Amino acid sequence: MAQQTQEETFKKIVAHCKEYGFVFPSSEIYDGLGAVYDYGQNGVELKNNIKRYWWDSMTLLHENIVGIDAAIFMHPTTWKASGHVDAFNDPLIDNRDSKKRYRADVLIEDQIAKYDEKIEKEIAKARKRFGDSFDEEMFVETNERVKELKNKREALHARFAKAMNDNNLDELKQIILDEEIVCPISGTRNWTDVRQFNLMFSTEMGSTADGAMKIYLRPETAQGIFVNFLNVQKTGRMKIPFGIAQIGKAFRNEIVARQFIFRMREFEQMEMQFFVRPGEELKWFEHWKQFRLKWHKALGLGDEKYRFHDHDKLAHYANAATDIEFLMPFGFKEVEGIHSRTNFDLSSHAKYSGKKIEYFDPELNQSYTPFVIETSIGVDRMFLSVMCSAYEEQALAPNGQIDKEGSAGNAGDTRVVLHLPPVLAPVKACIMPLVKKDGLPEKAREIMNELKFDFKVAYDEKDSIGKRYRRQDAVGTPFCITVDHDTEKDGCVTVRYRDTMLQDRVRIEELHEIIRKATDPKELYRKIVGDSLEDSEE
Ligand code: ATP
């Protein structure tokens, strides 16, 4: 198959999401709305499965984590106390020629990534040249070109981190000019000054003009947890350490909304705030970093696709922060943030509300404001990472099987297959009668009616079996089950596996266990619990 660029692959994934009922542009008949999307019939199932995997891994696996569901609207003082009214800004810059708007920090981060790419290229070239005798460490230390690139990268990185920490907008612009960063659209360096832009959406609550109150659509779900800290702790008789989990919508008026559902204006977060003793927060920070990485890796999307990225600029509330990044077609990108938020939020809400928000620790015989470790993951970004790693255009040999050696060249056919983790697949199995007569549809429906109480199953009798397989491959259904003329006699059906395309003849009674084994989240929970559970119950 002809090689395609990552950009082309990404475009195909976006088109595939639409064509197969995963993601549609919002209000599409009116030409859509910028960076807002709707999930279709398959998308919603996949999304619900992601949420369930997260929710259960928090609330089932940890007896000291409970959930809540707070309202999107909150008292406006919440956002004063949290710092969002004053500090939830992005630095924006416009290119005067293309009239396109960018985040200044993102332009510079992309520039840093370019240095990294150049260094990687040099290393790859040298590896090719030296073969087995290549010593990468030595090469990086001694090669003049690599040394020069590394120095430039480090200098830029340090300058950028300082400018962000100092909130120095002039310096950000100067960096963009000094690095000769051009607008990707116009190719020019005709930039405006950098300005701050608040990302919160506001609206009004109440009917009369003078009685109406300006309120915000929450930009994160976390504050709903903090303002309910005392409610949950007291009514649930929770003892520190304990966590509160929540899944819900959040809204941000993103300056540059691009890359499909990676950066949306309305999105969904899965957040867990874990309350700990002051002084123990960094230990728990490390614990949650490891636990969350295990949660990701258990899905089997490929361990090499994850990395931690520590923050250069800590948010006003944090004393440690890292991102879990995933390798998307457009590079390593943040999917989840893990932050040590100190006692900033609870203290600030105590100050603004005038209420005492503390915990009496019976073991220490003292009261304190708990410290917080937050794990915050975007459902939509998780969805995107799953989709990107699942999508494959696979070459097939003339016999219709997977062309492992690539020997078919252009002679064979291709299939589009989503290798979704079976736990997350929208449909677990599709039941198909070989033909639409001879009692086969009735038998197929009988099997389906048995399975449907436990699994999301589909029924398909239209077109050839080959075409039906392809339709299921394209939505990631792990099993196709075919009822044929022998089924009535021998009580067996043919199971065809999505990833290998191999087929097995199995007894009807075995189907339930075959599907359960592959799709039961319990199998994943066992994988991620390991030693981390014991730690978390300390
Ligand atoms: P970024 O730097 O990409 O803007 P962030 O650091 O502001 O993200 P957080 O505030 O830490 O993000 O939010 C936690 C998680 O929420 C992110 O890791 C991401 O998965 C998700 N998220 C944040 N903003 C968006 C968005 N605009 N669209 C989709 N998901 C988002």
Side-chain angles (χ1 to χ4, degrees), residues 56-259:
D56 287 354
S57 73
M58 288 295 174
T59 64
L60 292 188
L61 300 191
H62 301 90
E63 62 184 87
N64 58 352
I65 297 182
V66 292
I68 62 162
D69 183 20
I72 287 171
F73 292 146
M74 300 183 71
H75 192 284
T77 310
T78 308
W79 306 110
K80 203 63 200 153
S82 68
H84 283 81
V85 171
D86 297 321
F88 194 50
N89 300 317
D90 274 344
L92 70 85
I93 189 165
D94 294 285
N95 182 272
R96 289 200 186 89
D97 299 321
S98 65
K99 307 267 181 289
K100 288 280 172 206
R101 180 160 286 180
Y102 299 90
R103 265 174 61 179
D105 55 329
V106 173
L107 285 179
I108 301 171
E109 274 170 6
D110 287 350
Q111 180 75 358
I112 294 174
K114 274 191 192 143
Y115 282 114
D116 287 335
E117 274 165 34
K118 280 185 191 159
I119 294 169
E120 280 307 314
K121 258 194 196 146
E122 292 295 329
I123 295 173
K125 258 189 343 206
R127 183 176 294 118
K128 227 175 166 183
R129 205 165 58 230
F130 294 112
D132 288 345
S133 62
F134 182 58
D135 179 343
E136 181 172 328
E137 212 172 304
M138 173 135 108
F139 177 76
V140 170
E141 271 168 30
T142 54
N143 181 275
E144 286 307 320
R145 171 91 181 121
V146 171
K147 271 177 21 194
E148 185 195 326
L149 285 168
K150 275 198 130 192
N151 287 341
K152 278 193 180 160
R153 185 220 185 265
E154 289 314 316
L156 172 59
H157 188 248
R159 197 176 162 197
F160 169 56
K162 181 164 182 343
M164 289 296 280
N165 272 320
D166 298 348
N167 250 329
N168 187 341
L169 303 183
D170 292 340
E171 173 69 352
L172 284 179
K173 176 167 181 188
Q174 201 51 52
I175 295 174
I176 290 173
L177 295 179
D178 292 350
E179 287 289 321
E180 303 186 342
I181 296 173
V182 297
C183 164
I185 308 287
S186 66
T188 71
R189 281 178 258 160
N190 193 3
W191 297 109
T192 62
D193 286 343
V194 178
R195 302 187 297 289
Q196 290 290 23
F197 177 78
N198 193 288
L199 299 182
M200 279 199 293
F201 285 102
S202 65
T203 184
E204 289 194 343
M205 183 178 265
S207 53
T208 59
D210 43 343
M213 176 160 69
K214 182 175 180 185
I215 54 167
Y216 298 98
L217 273 72
R218 65 180 179 198
E220 63 176 24
T221 56
Q223 298 305 324
I225 294 178
F226 294 129
V227 299
N228 277 298
F229 169 78
L230 285 180
N231 284 338
V232 175
Q233 191 273 317
K234 292 214 155 83
T235 58
R237 298 167 60 238
M238 307 302 290
K239 291 203 171 50
I240 295 257
F242 74 90
I244 304 179
Q246 173 166 227
I247 299 179
K249 288 279 177 114
F251 305 83
R252 295 183 188 176
N253 197 3
E254 297 282 359
I255 301 170
V256 187
R258 54 178 177 167
Q259 282 150 346

Side-chain angles (χ1 to χ4, degrees), residues 350-361:
K351 191 170 115 202
Y352 277 83
S353 66
K355 306 271 180 341
K356 192 169 156 199
I357 307 183
E358 286 188 351
Y359 171 78
F360 176 74
D361 193 322

Side-chain angles (χ1 to χ4, degrees), residues 88 90 103 220 252 254 261-265 267-269 271 311 317 323 334-337 339 374 376-381:
F88 194 50
D90 274 344
R103 265 174 61 179
E220 63 176 24
R252 295 183 188 176
E254 297 282 359
I261 54 173
F262 181 79
R263 192 171 296 287
M264 303 157 91
R265 295 202 165 100
F267 58 101
E268 204 163 359
Q269 289 185 314
E271 296 198 304
H311 285 204
Y317 50 75
D323 296 333
E334 169 181 346
V335 173
E336 169 157 6
H339 310 122
E374 161 181 88
S376 173
I377 168 169
V379 181
D380 313 271
R381 281 196 195 170

